[in-house]
Each structure stands twice: as C-alpha cells, then as structure tokens.
Amino acid sequence: MLEKINRIKEEVALFKAATQEEAEEFRLKYLSRKGRLNALFEEFKTVAGEQKRETGQKLNELKIQLLDTFERCKAETDSGRLSDTQARDLTRPGDGMAVGSRHPISIVRNEICDIFGRLGFTVAEGPEIEDDRHVFSALNFPPDHPARDMQDTFFIAGDADALLRTHTSSVQVRVMESVPPPIRMIMPGRVFRNEAISSRSHCIFHQVEGLYIAEKVSFADLKQTLMFFAREMFGEKTQIRLRPSFFPFTEPSAEMDVSCTCNGKGCSLCKHTGWLEIMGCGMVDPNVLSNCGIDPEKYSGFAFGMGIERIALLKFETGDIRMYFENDVRFLRQFVPAL
Ligand code: DAH
C-alpha cells in the first residue's frame, strides 16, 4: 500500500492542467467519490495494525497533496486569470459604451424643422400657459365655439384668463403681433387637451405650426411647400391630397393627406383608403391678420399645423401613442442611431 501511495505522489508531483477540463479530469481521477484517493482509504481499512500509523500518515499527506494540486490547477486555468490576460491583449476589441438616444418625438420634430429650414423657415416658440386671446379669439374662434368648453380645454384654476394652449396656432398670433411681414416661421411645441388617454389620443401631445405671410402669397405656394415637405419626410414618390375642411382661422381651409406606403393597395395603417391624414392648413383668414395688426389688403399668407405624434406613428409604425410618454427604455432604445 505504501508503494501505491508513493507512486501516486510521484505521478502528480509535476502535474499541470492546461485547461479547466484537464483540472476537472484530475479531480475525477483522484478526488471524486470513485477516485483513487477514496479507493486507498477503503484499502486502508484492511491494513494491519502495526502499519496503520505510518500508512495513515502517508495517506493524509497524499490527500493534502492532491487537494493542493487540484486547487493550483483550478486557479491557473480559472476564467478570472484568463480575462486578466485578455485585458492586457491590445488587439482585443474595446467594450462598447452604452449611448443614449434622442426621443422619437424629438427626432421627428428636428426633422420637420430641418426640412422647413431648407425652405427658409425659422423656428419660433411660445408659452404653454396662454390666454383666451392667443388661443381662441384672435384666431377667429366664435365665443360659443366648443373648443372653449371646459370639456376640451384645461383652464387654470383661480385665473379667469389662463389656460393650457390646445394648439400651437397661438404662437402664430404671438409672432404676427411682434414681427412685421414677411414672416416665414415654424413653431413646434407641446399642447394640451382635456381628452381621455387611449392608444390614439393623449391629453398632452406635440404640434408643429407653420406660417408664411408676405405679399401675394397664394394657395399654390401652400401646396408646393407642403408637397416638398411630404416628399422630404416620407419619400420622393409620396403623393399629397388636399381635402376641403374648416378651421376658424383659415379660409379656405384644407386637410392634407399623404399617400400610404401600401401604394393604394390598402392596408390597416391607412384603413384601406390608401391615404393618411397628416395636417390641417389653409390661407390665413383676413380677420386673423387684422386681429394681429397686419394689413390684409397688402399681405396674405398660409398656415398649417400638424401633430408630431401622428407623423411619428406613421413613420415608425408604432401602434400606440402612449408609448411616446411612458419612457420605457425598451421602446426608446430602438431609436439609438447606428454608429
Ligand atoms: N390648430 C389646428 C389643430 O390643432 C391645426 C391647424 C389647422 C393649424 C389649420 C393651422 C391650420 O395653422 O391652418 O387642429
């Protein structure tokens, strides 16, 4: 038995494992339940009394040696050690850094500003807390118009004339009051309406308003401008369609549709009509011009207004407007630009 012990001691004295697998093989061979060490302990039970002391001592030495060898092999092949070496490998690709992303509403707003910027439109902004004049009366809303109702507009408690703007058209009024024509501006901003929150509507959303006032501006200018916008935004082949509509502040008024990417075949996005409504527009009503101190005999102009969420829904084909307000990173991460 002593001989066997010595043989194993010699056998493992110079043992080295190159991989974790080899270290594991070592453990199985020597240290597992059915391994050589256990077999020797079994055999030890049969050793005669006078040899027990010496054999037991040697057996314990062997046990310690085997355990030490295994620990050493494991440490040498450990993944920790491996990544230490890797960390020093200068050819190894760097670890990626997590970058944030712009919110999809900002992406679309910036793109709209960019497109109109190329036509010479500059950007203006106005307050979110407004008064009746800028949101309604200067824009020709009659006193009994339903938009003035508590049902539709958030009024600020304790102030007879303070409300959250329901559209960015209020900024048109502020611009016309403060700068003389020619005016060529777009006005992005947040608007508020007292509406139930659902997949299609929200009580807070974003609009971009456009205004062009100069001499002899015609409906043809409006059409060309919006056509340019639609093609830049949705692609070269995009068609537009203007349908007669009504807004108190424009006359004539229209709603603009763009052709759906299904090419008129009909899909669920366009509800099988082939067209998608994206904005309201029209020639600024002469009453509005004079309400804002601009001579309607000399100047004319057009205005338009669109919902940013609506354009984002169409562009990104996201089905639920609420996703734009929840700030769920799983949604937002999809808008990280490719590097
Ligand atoms: N203010 C309108 C709305 O919120 C949108 C709009 C329609 C704006 C026609 C305009 C316009 O400037 O000419 O629904």
Side-chain angles (χ1 to χ4, degrees):
M1 170 129 191
L2 276 173
E3 220 174 279
K4 268 193 207 162
I5 294 174
N6 282 334
R7 218 178 316 122
I8 298 177
K9 283 185 115 199
E10 276 167 34
E11 208 174 282
V12 300
L14 295 172
F15 181 82
K16 266 193 169 23
T19 60
Q20 292 257 325
E21 287 74 28
E22 279 181 30
E24 178 59 11
E25 269 171 34
F26 177 91
R27 189 190 66 80
L28 287 172
K29 183 169 172 188
Y30 296 104
L31 292 162
S32 63
R33 208 157 46 80
K34 290 186 176 159
R36 308 258 306 257
L37 186 67
N38 259 355
L40 287 172
F41 273 105
E42 281 301 312
E43 197 178 330
F44 179 66
K45 290 178 191 159
T46 66
V47 170
E50 67 275 18
Q51 287 172 7
K52 257 207 152 103
R53 203 179 131 87
E54 195 192 347
T55 315
Q57 227 169 27
K58 290 278 175 203
L59 195 55
N60 271 331
E61 275 173 34
L62 176 67
K63 180 179 171 181
I64 290 166
Q65 187 184 350
L66 289 172
L67 285 170
D68 280 354
T69 307
F70 175 62
E71 283 307 319
R72 175 174 51 78
C73 291
K74 217 172 65 164
E76 278 171 5
T77 59
D78 222 20
S79 52
R81 263 185 72 90
L82 216 69
S83 72
D84 253 11
T85 1
Q86 279 175 336
R88 269 181 255 113
D89 177 1
L90 299 181
T91 63
R92 194 170 156 250
D95 292 329
M97 242 199 301
V99 278
S101 59
R102 280 203 196 286
H103 193 280
I105 294 301
S106 302
I107 295 175
V108 173
R109 185 203 52 215
N110 292 352
E111 196 171 340
I112 296 170
C113 292
D114 221 53
I115 294 170
F116 283 105
R118 277 178 251 148
L119 293 176
F121 283 74
T122 52
V123 175
E125 283 184 356
E128 292 177 348
I129 298 176
E130 268 291 8
D131 51 30
D132 180 274
R133 170 177 156 74
H134 290 92
V135 178
F136 300 125
S137 61
L139 288 165
N140 224 17
F141 279 80
D144 55 353
H145 192 283
R148 292 170 179 254
D149 203 322
M150 296 279 281
Q151 300 300 310
D152 297 281
T153 302
F154 289 114
F155 290 90
I156 292 181
D159 192 323
D161 193 21
L163 49 94
L164 298 181
R165 65 180 178 194
T166 55
H167 54 181
T168 43
S169 304
S170 57
V171 192
Q172 274 190 37
V173 178
R174 292 201 171 263
V175 165
M176 286 191 278
E177 281 172 344
S178 55
V179 293
I183 296 169
R184 204 163 12 167
M185 284 187 174
I186 50 166
M187 299 143 246
R190 216 157 40 147
V191 301
F192 308 83
R193 283 185 201 176
N194 193 2
E195 275 186 39
I197 297 172
S198 72
S199 64
R200 315 194 89 237
S201 66
H202 209 287
C203 57
I204 304 176
F205 56 101
H206 301 79
Q207 288 186 330
V208 177
E209 190 79 12
L211 181 68
Y212 180 35
I213 310 280
E215 286 180 45
K216 300 198 180 74
V217 177
S218 73
F219 201 90
D221 299 318
L222 169 63
K223 241 166 97 176
Q224 284 306 313
T225 306
L226 296 184
M227 169 95 102
F228 175 81
F229 166 72
R231 297 209 161 144
E232 292 291 298
M233 192 73 189
F234 297 105
E236 250 175 71
K237 298 213 175 75
T238 310
Q239 304 284 318
I240 64 167
R241 175 173 89 165
L242 290 162
R243 280 178 292 106
S245 183
F246 174 81
F247 299 102
F249 37 93
T250 44
E251 182 58 37
S253 304
E255 270 170 294
M256 187 178 98
D257 299 340
V258 289
S259 53
C260 183
T261 43
C262 70
N263 274 330
K265 279 193 220 99
C267 66
S268 58
L269 195 64
C270 64
K271 298 208 199 76
H272 301 274
T273 60
W275 295 96
L276 302 158
E277 184 201 319
I278 64 161
M279 68 171 101
C281 59
M283 300 306 291
V284 179
D285 193 300
N287 278 343
V288 174
L289 293 177
S290 41
N291 286 344
C292 300
I294 293 176
D295 180 2
E297 299 294 328
K298 186 165 178 206
Y299 295 105
S300 58
F302 63 72
F304 55 87
M306 63 189 108
I308 303 185
E309 280 79 4
R310 170 104 185 119
I311 307 236
L313 284 173
L314 300 177
K315 211 171 158 64
F316 301 129
E317 295 186 19
T318 40
D320 192 325
I321 195 171
R322 289 171 292 199
M323 286 196 275
Y324 292 113
F325 300 92
E326 284 163 356
N327 280 337
D328 184 329
V329 286
R330 289 168 301 179
F331 175 65
L332 298 178
R333 218 181 266 140
Q334 298 176 59
F335 300 93
V336 178
L339 291 175

